[in-house]
Amino acid sequence: MGKVYFHSADRKLTVNSKTGIKRAANNIFEEEMMVLNRIDYIFCSDQFLLQINRDFLQHDYFTDIITFDLSDTPGITGEVYISVDRVKENAVVHRTSFLDEVLRVIFHGALHLCGYKDKKTPEQKLMRAREDYYINKFHVEREKLNL
């Protein structure tokens, strides 16, 4: 079982079940048959992530998530930067709960590290289907455990 960590840059993640979310993220790697060494989720503001987008990807626009694969040994090591501001806004726009939108981006980052892409329409559909699968699985497990 790999290590999953949550960090705050300039925003805190405020949700229940952080331990369950970390377990669910770890389970993605197991189910996708990938070895996870470590994944660090860093929660930040729009401005913080915009600067990362500019500095590392030469993109000048807001995004909800940026994933960096830092693997240099067998197994996956990565950093996933998530804009809490963007997640809150996306939850409203997509008419979903804040928790489900948080799960979507957390699982999205894990899926990227497992090799899933999302640049082309078929890739986006597959990515969304896997996100939905893991979100539903999270809720079923949570209900079973009464969390």
Side-chain angles (χ1 to χ4, degrees), residues 2-66:
K3 294 181 171 84
V4 178
Y5 297 101
F6 288 172
H7 308 280
S8 297
D10 61 346
R11 291 286 186 274
K12 289 186 189 259
L13 176 65
T14 308
V15 294
N16 294 328
S17 303
K18 284 185 184 176
T19 300
I21 294 170
K22 290 178 182 181
R23 187 179 321 112
N26 209 322
N27 288 339
I28 289 172
F29 293 93
E30 290 176 15
E31 193 160 327
E32 297 292 333
M33 295 186 283
M34 305 295 284
V35 175
L36 174 64
N37 292 329
R38 178 183 178 125
I39 186 169
D40 290 276
Y41 289 97
I42 300 96
F43 297 95
C44 58
S45 67
D46 272 348
Q47 289 301 320
F48 189 96
L49 197 53
L50 177 61
Q51 197 58 55
I52 289 173
N53 213 6
R54 288 174 177 156
D55 293 346
F56 293 94
L57 302 175
Q58 290 71 52
H59 298 158
D60 193 19
Y61 53 81
F62 292 115
T63 186
D64 54 355
I65 181 172
I66 296 177

